[in-house]
Amino acid sequence: MPSPQLLVLFGSQTGTAQDVSERLGREARRRRLGCRVQALDSYPVVNLINEPLVIFVCATTGQGDPPDNMKNFWGFIFRKNLPSTALCQMDFAVLGLGDSSYAKFNFVAKKLHRRLLQLGGSALLPVCLGDDQHELGPDAAVDPWLRDLWDRVLGLYPPPPGLAEIPPGVPLPSKFTLLFLQEAPSTGSEGQRVAHPGSQEPPSESKPFLAPMISNQRVTGPSHFQDVRLIEFDILGSGISFAAGDVVLIQPSNSAAHVQRFCQVLGLDPDQLFMLQPREPDVSSPTRLPQPCSMRHLVSHYLDIASVPRRSFFELLACLSLHELEREKLLEFSSAQGQEELFEYCNRPRRTILEVLCDFPHTAAAIPPDYLLDLIPAIRPRAFSIASSLLIHPSRLQILVAVVQFQTRLKEPRRGLCSSWLASLDPGQGPVRVPLWVRPGSLAFPETPDTPVIMVGPGTGVAPFRAAIQERVAQGQTGNFLFFGCRWRDQDFYWESEWQELEKRDCLTLIPAFSREQEQKVYVQHRLRELGSLVWELLDHQGAYFYLAGNAKSMPADVSEALMSIFQEEGGLCSPDAAAYLARLQQTRRFQTETWA
């Protein structure tokens, strides 16, 4: 490969932007172009002034926010003091990934494109707007955009003479080689890199803290459809500290049954030890994997075999397949024309990588182990709102976890990897340790003692507000108003007795909405409207802060609509003024949201 010319930088929350970026890297290598692929926050952003050709791949999260792994970059690129000629030597293109059911569709990509132009960059193409809502997903926009991109790039950087493009059916070299060891080395033991109690640096993704699980308690009634857990960890000596609104990240593992099945289908010995060696000098081995590593450790803790495979998985699997019939089907699934069929086979029923490999047994049995890390993505950490305060529970960290399980047309129920794994752990049967670390969340609470807060948290969305209420009450702040929504008072009313105790002490005003206890469903937005005069009084006359947490589907829009009608009815504002009032609350951080899909 020639020296790197093309730089692909991504901001990814769920892995889609990273997957598209790695696809760009592969397509560049096929065209004999040097290419580096990096997360935006791991790239030294001051070096951008020296980059001739950069492709930015950005997801938009929540209410138009940048993903976590590009937040530092985002802060830097919008600095007011950057000169308008800072990027005048750069050709760039921006590929956005979003969901058109949200108001701020692809907001991050559009805003970044404008900003790069302001800093003197030259756009190779208009911004690409990938849409999750399209029946073929983001690829409907990405595929034609990439064809145009390569035409432009190859015009600027023609491949060296005599070097033809590597055709699609030929696999590129794997990123790593696995050097199998005949016997266990005499020194060192296999295990995760972890932060040890008393160490100087706080735990992080590359060095999580193995927190002992103290309790794992179901908090929904036995007849309730959903299993929700209150889980408590001991963080004594971890160096972890957190405030209300912060988030804990947990690194889950695959089930032993899935690991065993995977090794059977691929003909792997789970106890086989290997050393991982990168092929390219600028590629480093994943920090989460020990050296040497066993196959069992790789499959249990690293390879996301329970995820739904992306199109890139089928592309590589087709390249590696030696079985004519299976290869034909895999090629169809990886082609632009086969995307509807792939959606029906894979995405709609949420079929997993392990299940696909079981459906293509001849191909699976012939996969060279060197390609495992190219073929299967790494397990991503899952974020949970912290549901407790260190002021009330010192050296403890609590989370509220809804165990994800649902049925599709496949016989086996679909299960969330992290929530099911957490639910399966029983500290009563012996010591249980969970790799975790903490990062700031998107909610920040006012420090002034007399500022009231209105918190709207239906379901498990109440978790960060429990932490906030505990913290505020411990500090003598009493203006706490909680709108909590659930189905039934006796089934999923989390922390009912705790709220009642705080009400008795005049530390909390609780407004519950039980959606199924009457003929007409009653949700938090209905309770907000009913108490419109109180909400207006708190926001307009007492400078209250308003918080919203929970499912991102329709609840945030319903709550915003309720607020708009309150501003009109109680505040006497016309519709445009009500919208401007809401926008002002958002701009001044007096209206904050934390939502999840």
Side-chain angles (χ1 to χ4, degrees):
M1 292 288 170
S3 61
Q5 292 163 316
L6 173 64
L7 175 63
V8 179
L9 294 173
F10 64 85
S12 186
Q13 195 73 13
T14 61
T16 309
Q18 183 173 349
D19 186 66
V20 171
S21 301
E22 285 168 357
R23 173 184 173 184
L24 270 158
R26 287 191 301 274
E27 292 192 7
R29 288 163 82 194
R30 288 196 180 281
R31 289 163 176 80
R32 310 287 185 172
L33 280 166
C35 180
R36 292 160 293 154
V37 178
Q38 274 184 260
L40 273 155
D41 276 358
S42 71
Y43 174 79
V45 67
V46 290
N47 294 358
L48 269 185
I49 58 169
N50 304 315
E51 299 287 355
L53 181 59
V54 187
I55 314 301
F56 296 87
V57 182
C58 315
T60 295
T61 69
Q63 313 302 307
D65 303 314
D68 292 326
N69 68 356
M70 68 176 282
K71 281 188 171 157
N72 296 339
F73 165 83
W74 197 245
F76 181 89
I77 205 79
F78 283 98
R79 280 187 186 172
K80 299 265 195 300
N81 61 354
L82 295 181
S84 61
T85 54
L87 302 179
C88 60
Q89 82 314 322
M90 179 200 284
D91 288 314
F92 74 89
V94 177
L95 189 163
L97 296 164
D99 183 323
S100 58
S101 67
Y102 287 88
K104 294 196 168 179
F105 171 56
N106 265 316
F107 181 76
V108 170
K110 292 171 187 171
K111 193 170 177 182
L112 177 61
H113 187 87
R114 285 197 301 273
R115 182 59 177 154
L116 296 170
L117 289 172
Q118 285 170 0
L119 296 174
S122 302
L124 292 171
L125 292 171
V127 62
C128 175
L129 303 176
D131 184 8
D132 258 352
Q133 288 298 314
H134 193 284
E135 57 185 13
L136 300 180
D139 283 350
V142 171
D143 286 358
W145 188 86
L146 283 182
R147 280 197 295 275
D148 293 345
L149 176 75
W150 293 124
D151 287 347
R152 297 298 308 273
V153 169
L154 291 173
L156 294 167
Y157 297 90
L163 270 182
E165 202 174 292
I166 302 169
V170 177
L172 292 165
S174 63
K175 273 192 211 151
F176 301 98
T177 52
L178 273 62
L179 302 174
F180 289 116
L181 306 175
Q182 295 313 305
E183 55 189 62
S186 53
T187 58
S189 63
E190 185 190 85
Q192 279 181 299
R193 282 165 55 97
V194 293
H196 294 289
S199 73
Q200 293 304 298
E201 53 190 273
S204 61
E205 182 163 6
S206 57
K207 272 196 172 181
F209 176 66
L210 286 181
M213 182 186 281
I214 293 172
S215 61
N216 184 349
Q217 172 198 355
R218 178 171 169 140
V219 289
T220 40
S223 62
H224 192 61
F225 78 102
Q226 187 154 44
D227 179 359
V228 176
R229 303 297 179 96
L230 175 60
I231 299 175
E232 184 170 43
F233 300 103
D234 181 356
I235 55 166
L236 185 68
S238 65
I240 288 174
S241 73
F242 55 86
D246 287 352
V247 164
V248 63
L249 288 111
I250 290 178
Q251 188 66 54
S253 299
N254 289 307
S255 72
H258 283 171
V259 173
Q260 186 184 358
R261 183 83 182 106
F262 181 87
C263 289
Q264 279 172 350
V265 173
L266 273 76
L268 300 169
D269 172 6
D271 297 317
Q272 174 70 64
L273 289 170
F274 62 87
M275 298 291 285
L276 202 60
Q277 276 204 336
R279 283 189 196 270
E280 304 271 333
D282 61 338
V283 174
S284 53
S285 296
T287 53
R288 273 166 43 198
L289 288 178
Q291 292 270 44
C293 184
S294 71
M295 270 299 167
R296 181 180 280 105
H297 188 97
L298 175 71
V299 183
S300 300
H301 302 297
Y302 192 80
L303 299 180
D304 198 358
I305 59 174
S307 63
V308 177
R310 302 177 191 275
R311 178 174 162 188
S312 55
F313 171 86
F314 291 93
E315 283 171 8
L316 179 52
L317 202 56
C319 284
L320 299 174
S321 179
L322 305 171
H323 187 273
E324 196 179 336
L325 272 176
E326 289 184 2
R327 181 183 167 93
E328 209 173 287
K329 192 70 193 168
L330 291 164
L331 283 169
E332 195 179 317
F333 281 151
S334 58
S335 69
Q337 300 74 36
Q339 290 313 289
E340 277 185 61
E341 199 180 342
L342 176 59
F343 185 84
E344 286 303 319
Y345 167 69
C346 218
N347 299 64
R348 194 185 292 284
R350 311 303 293 162
R351 198 182 300 268
T352 67
I353 284 176
L354 176 56
E355 289 168 329
V356 171
L357 292 171
C358 292
D359 283 352
F360 291 85
H362 300 92
T363 302
I367 292 170
D370 283 0
Y371 278 96
L372 286 173
L373 280 85
D374 296 83
L375 189 63
I376 302 169
I379 297 173
R380 301 176 72 83
R382 286 6 183 219
F384 296 91
S385 294
I386 297 172
S388 58
S389 167
L390 289 170
L391 299 179
I392 302 294
H393 301 279
S395 307
R396 297 283 190 265
L397 188 156
Q398 297 180 355
I399 55 173
L400 192 64
V401 180
V403 181
V404 177
Q405 183 173 326
F406 57 95
Q407 204 69 47
T408 65
R409 62 181 166 81
L410 302 178
K411 190 171 152 228
E412 263 300 293
R414 306 294 91 188
R415 292 182 172 89
L417 175 66
C418 190
S419 62
S420 300
W421 175 69
L422 285 170
S424 74
L425 302 174
D426 182 2
Q429 298 296 305
V432 172
R433 288 178 175 267
V434 170
L436 55 77
W437 62 99
V438 163
R439 66 161 165 78
S442 56
L443 303 177
F445 293 85
E447 288 172 18
T448 44
D450 53 351
T451 303
V453 297
I454 303 168
M455 295 161 278
V456 180
T460 54
V462 76
F465 302 138
R466 180 177 182 246
I469 290 165
Q470 286 186 351
E471 199 163 283
R472 285 172 59 80
V473 169
Q475 292 167 336
Q477 295 164 304
T478 54
N480 304 306
F481 296 82
L482 175 64
F483 288 79
F484 170 67
C486 66
R487 291 191 172 201
W488 307 95
R489 184 186 291 273
D490 63 345
Q491 293 294 323
D492 54 338
F493 192 173
Y494 312 128
W495 299 304
E496 179 184 12
S497 56
E498 198 172 307
W499 304 138
Q500 287 170 346
E501 183 58 39
L502 289 170
E503 279 194 295
K504 278 184 203 159
R505 289 164 48 195
D506 290 329
C507 297
L508 173 69
T509 302
L510 174 70
I511 303 100
F514 304 112
S515 63
R516 301 297 198 275
E517 297 211 337
Q518 57 287 307
E519 242 176 83
Q520 289 290 98
K521 288 179 184 169
V522 173
Y523 296 117
V524 285
Q525 60 267 27
H526 300 123
R527 290 280 184 249
L528 280 166
R529 284 173 193 251
E530 284 170 23
L531 293 170
S533 59
L534 170 68
V535 172
W536 177 252
E537 161 68 25
L538 289 168
L539 286 172
D540 198 59
H541 301 135
Q542 296 184 37
Y545 278 56
F546 189 99
Y547 297 88
L548 174 61
N551 192 296
K553 197 68 193 148
S554 56
M555 187 268 300
D558 293 337
V559 168
S560 295
E561 207 177 293
L563 284 177
M564 290 276 288
S565 71
I566 289 168
F567 300 161
Q568 289 171 65
E569 288 160 26
E570 303 295 334
L573 304 182
C574 64
S575 183
D577 286 351
Y581 191 96
L582 186 62
R584 258 197 322 279
L585 289 177
Q586 288 171 322
Q587 283 154 10
T588 55
R589 301 275 289 150
R590 283 182 53 212
F591 179 21
Q592 299 177 37
T593 60
E594 181 151 284
T595 58
W596 47 87

